[in-house]
């Protein structure tokens, strides 16, 4: 399977930029990201549906089983690409089991341990989102957690996709790719850094300067 990149943002402008660059396959949002753009979330979501043809995670705000189910079913009816993001709590896991049987796609979020990831897989979640950056923030080793989740899923052939989340650096993207995450969700400011290396910029300048200095005509003339 090819590794997928999602963009961790609710900002249609940023999402369109990276969709047009051809490097993203889907989108993850959360209630905090939704408030950051400063426009009604419904408007943002409708714009995102029109830009991205790929999985789009939208998070429930409810915390009890009945309301999580109601909210998740309504969210899933908004668009065929909706993946319902559900927090890693007992009522959430209970709801995911039902939603899986209804073929509603789910993303179990706020996962910080292999045990939590195991529960998400057992109830048939489509994605599990281990939060790497937030775990590192409290002095733990998030890469070990990710590797253990991948090892457990491989051991039992669980179908749940491992979606590495809470990403803080380009190096972390490299590390989760080496570890074998199915998906990584990346904030726009980190996506930007993936392109960058000082030797790339320096190299382009030198190639162009050398050619111009030679006075030779270009192979192709662009009018
Ligand atoms: C995942 O789906 C979350 O939206 C996100 O990765 C959280 O990251 P943060 O810890 O940078 O808020």
């Amino acid at each position: 399977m090819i590794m997928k990149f999602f963009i961790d943002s609710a900002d249609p402008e940023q999402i369109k930029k990276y969709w047009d660059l051809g490097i993203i396959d889907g989108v993850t949002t959360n209630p905090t990201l939704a408030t950051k753009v400063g426009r009604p979330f419904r408007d943002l979501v409708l714009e995102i549906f029109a830009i991205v043809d790929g999985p789009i995670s939208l998070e429930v705000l409810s915390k009890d089983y009945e309301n999580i189910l109601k909210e998740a079913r309504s969210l899933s009816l908004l668009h065929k690409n909706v993946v319902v993001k559900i927090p890693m709590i007992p009522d959430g896991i209970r709801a995911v089991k039902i939603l899986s049987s209804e073929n509603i796609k789910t993303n179990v979020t706020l996962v910080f341990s292999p045990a939590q990831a195991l529960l998400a897989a057992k109830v048939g979640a489509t994605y599990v989102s281990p939060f790497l950056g937030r775990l590192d923030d409290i002095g733990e080793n998030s890469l070990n957690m990710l590797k253990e989740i991948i090892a457990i899923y491989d051991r039992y052939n669980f179908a749940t996709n491992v979606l590495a989340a809470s990403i803080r650096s380009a190096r972390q993207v490299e590390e989760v790719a080496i570890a074998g995450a199915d998906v990584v969700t990346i904030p726009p400011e980190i996506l930007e850094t993936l392109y960058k290396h000082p030797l790339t910029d320096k190299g382009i300048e030198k190639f162009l300067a050398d050619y111009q200095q030679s006075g030779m005509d270009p192979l192709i003339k662009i009018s």
Side-chain angles (χ1 to χ4, degrees):
M1 194 175 87
I2 302 271
M3 188 194 195
K4 296 208 161 85
F5 275 10
F6 291 173
I7 186 168
D8 204 18
S9 171
D11 182 347
E13 208 177 301
Q14 292 286 357
I15 293 169
K16 181 163 173 25
K17 174 179 167 185
Y18 290 99
W19 180 258
D20 287 349
L21 283 168
I23 60 164
I24 60 165
D25 306 286
V27 179
T28 52
T29 66
N30 64 42
T32 304
L33 290 172
T35 63
K36 278 192 179 160
V37 189
R39 291 170 47 206
F41 192 40
R42 176 166 286 271
D43 295 355
L44 301 179
V45 164
L46 294 178
E47 283 178 40
I48 297 169
F49 290 155
I51 298 166
V52 172
D53 188 16
I56 298 163
S57 284
L58 303 177
E59 190 157 340
V60 297
L61 299 174
S62 309
K63 292 202 305 186
D64 66 282
Y65 172 70
E66 293 296 344
N67 284 321
I68 290 174
L69 269 187
K70 273 189 207 156
E71 215 184 321
R73 287 177 180 137
S74 300
L75 285 171
S76 77
L77 291 175
L78 290 178
H79 194 278
K80 67 176 172 59
N81 287 335
V82 169
V83 175
V84 185
K85 222 169 159 185
I86 296 181
M88 175 60 233
I89 52 176
D91 280 33
I93 291 298
R94 183 179 171 200
V96 170
K97 181 152 192 170
I98 302 300
L99 295 166
S100 307
S101 73
E102 295 173 4
N103 288 323
I104 292 175
K105 294 198 176 68
T106 53
N107 173 355
V108 173
T109 189
L110 291 162
V111 164
F112 295 93
S113 74
Q116 291 180 323
L118 190 48
L119 291 175
K122 279 192 68 66
V123 292
T126 317
Y127 298 93
V128 66
S129 288
F131 276 37
L132 278 75
R134 293 192 196 188
L135 199 59
D136 291 334
D137 288 347
I138 60 159
E140 293 201 25
N141 187 329
S142 67
L143 191 56
N144 276 352
M145 167 196 57
L146 182 79
K147 286 177 182 169
E148 288 181 7
I149 293 170
I150 293 170
I152 292 167
Y153 282 18
D154 285 351
R155 172 72 178 77
Y156 293 103
N157 268 328
F158 281 122
T160 302
N161 292 280
V162 178
L163 195 174
S166 186
I167 294 295
R168 304 277 162 78
S169 69
R171 181 59 193 153
Q172 213 168 20
V173 174
E174 295 167 351
E175 287 171 348
V176 305
I178 293 165
D182 300 298
V183 190
V184 57
T185 188
I186 313 172
E189 57 278 13
I190 304 296
L191 276 171
E192 195 60 39
T193 68
L194 297 185
Y195 290 93
K196 301 288 181 196
H197 195 285
L199 290 179
T200 304
D201 298 335
K202 214 172 142 190
I204 292 174
E205 293 315 314
K206 175 90 171 90
F207 283 153
L208 294 180
D210 286 349
Y211 206 91
Q212 272 159 11
Q213 215 176 16
S214 76
M216 291 195 299
D217 283 339
L219 276 179
I220 309 289
K221 287 196 173 140
I222 297 164
S223 53

